């Protein structure tokens, strides 16, 4: 497939059109997407991305097709990790959920622009100096190590993404209001023109996009050196990211070992880049400037390795004891919260059905190994409060209606780690007696 100026122009026009479509038909009117809406549009964008790769096959360009799919999957995986940080940033700034779509679309647009610049710079550097592959490879290996290190960081340290130097500088030099004014960036308070916290959120998102571009661009250049493939794989990985955020919100942190998988992918591509650099060596202090006879990892094999790492990482995250503990906690909190939202005129059957789901997941959480629960609850104390309040509400309802509520009685009086994380390590005797 010949990649001409017309090919670039049409592709860029399509990408810009999709971003504008997202803005005018989805984001312009503030709303929180339903799960169905997010699922449909996520499927559409993933479908478009996969269909685009078929264009290369249609022209008989198998090599570029495999490079595109390998790049797209890698960038999509890295983008999911980006979403987790975006979630931390918006939580740190308490962005109303109604306006999170606008923040995400800004982040995606800024990422498209910044990554396009990085792609052009990267392509120019590699064209001018092929031994830059050494630098890219070493950089990715360092990033893999940094990714592993971040897995041992606390949530507060991860949340520092929202408190970077540029944000602190903006707070000092700009008049910033204490509260949001819808999705506006500028507001008036007592006649004074002030910026809203929305500006700080966008600054934090923008800086984060730049940081993530530093690992995503070298990573994909390790899979293909064709700028067009690098650009399209990045663009299609970013498109639909807004819908994916709302689709897997709440599922993101269940992927407890995703960071390790991403570290493995970055490390693998880093090694691939180093081997490629050795194979085309020009540095005089390595093998007297001659090519080093090393194996080169094909893009097809790279695609299989990347898919394999992601499948293993996701499966292990969901099936591991820690992943199961997190799922039990999340569902216990979700169904407990739903019980508290039951209207006063809810029927006995509706209350019983909601209570059964709440009891089931609360009991599952109580049965989980305490060491995992204590680790997960360390930064999620609100779960305990929500679960306890829901069971107290159920106990009050039961007493008022004369209905037995033994599970809630035990839950409310327990001192276990799920519902009362400040127990100084004491085990829950009631929990043990139930098992």
């Amino acid at each position: 497939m010949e990649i001409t100026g017309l090919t670039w122009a049409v592709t860029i026009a399509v990408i810009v059109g999709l971003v504008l479509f997202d803005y005018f038909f989805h984001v312009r009117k503030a709303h929180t997407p339903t799960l169905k809406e997010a699922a449909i549009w996520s499927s559409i964008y993933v479908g478009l991305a996969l269909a685009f790769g078929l264009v290369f096959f249609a022209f008989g360009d198998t090599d570029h097709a495999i490079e595109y799919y390998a790049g797209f999957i890698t960038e999509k995986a890295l983008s999911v990790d980006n979403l987790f940080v975006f979630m931390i940033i918006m939580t740190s700034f308490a962005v109303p959920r109604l306006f999170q779509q606008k923040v995400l679309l800004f982040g995606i647009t800024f990422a498209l622009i910044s990554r396009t610049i990085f792609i052009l710079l990267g392509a120019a550097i590699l064209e001018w100096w092929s031994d830059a592959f050494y630098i890219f490879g070493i950089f990715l290996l360092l990033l893999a190590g940094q990714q592993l290190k971040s897995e041992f960081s606390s949530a507060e340290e991860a949340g520092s993404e929202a408190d970077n130097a540029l944000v602190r500088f903006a707070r000092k030099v700009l008049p910033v209001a204490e509260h949001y004014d819808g999705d506006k960036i500028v507001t008036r308070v007592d006649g004074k023109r002030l910026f809203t916290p929305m500006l700080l959120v966008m600054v934090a998102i923008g800086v984060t996009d730049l940081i993530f571009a530093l690992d995503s661009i070298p990573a994909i250049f390790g899979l293909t050196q064709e700028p067009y493939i690098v650009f399209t794989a990045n663009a299609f990985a970013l498109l639909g990211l807004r819908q994916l955020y709302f689709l897997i919100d709440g599922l993101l942190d269940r992927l407890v070992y995703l960071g390790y998988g991403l570290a493995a992918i970055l490390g693998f591509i880093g090694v691939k880049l180093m081997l490629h650099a050795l194979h085309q060596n020009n540095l005089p202090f390595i093998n007297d400037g001659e090519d080093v006879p090393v194996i080169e990892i094909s893009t097809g094999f790279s695609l299989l390795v990347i898919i394999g790492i992601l499948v293993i990482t996701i499966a292990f995250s969901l099936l591991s004891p820690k992943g199961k503990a997190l799922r039990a906690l999340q569902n216990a909190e979700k169904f407990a919260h739903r019980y508290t939202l039951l209207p006063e005129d809810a029927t006995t059957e509706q209350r019983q059905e909601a209570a059964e789901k709440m009891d089931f997941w609360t009991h599952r959480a109580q049965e989980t190994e305490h060491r995992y629960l204590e680790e997960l609850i360390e930064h999620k104390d609100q779960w305990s409060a929500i679960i306890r309040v829901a069971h107290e509400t159920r106990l009050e309802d039961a007493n008022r209606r004369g209905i037995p509520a033994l599970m809630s009685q035990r839950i409310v009086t327990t001192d276990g780690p799920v519902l009362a994380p400040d127990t100084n390590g004491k085990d829950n005797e009631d929990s043990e007696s139930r098992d």
Side-chain angles (χ1 to χ4, degrees), residues 26-69:
H26 292 140
V27 176
R28 193 175 185 183
K29 184 179 180 180
H31 74 287
T32 301
T34 63
L35 187 63
K36 181 180 179 181
E37 178 187 344
I40 290 173
W41 283 104
S42 292
S43 301
I44 289 174
Y45 278 110
V46 171
L48 286 173
L50 296 177
F52 180 79
L54 297 178
V55 174
F56 295 105
F57 281 120
F59 282 89
D61 194 351
T62 305
D63 290 341
H64 277 163
I66 294 174
E67 289 176 0
Y68 167 77
Y69 283 122

Side-chain angles (χ1 to χ4, degrees), residues 113-126:
I113 296 171
S114 61
R115 292 188 186 194
T116 300
I117 295 172
F118 277 111
I119 288 167
L120 295 175
L121 286 174
I125 291 171
L126 292 174

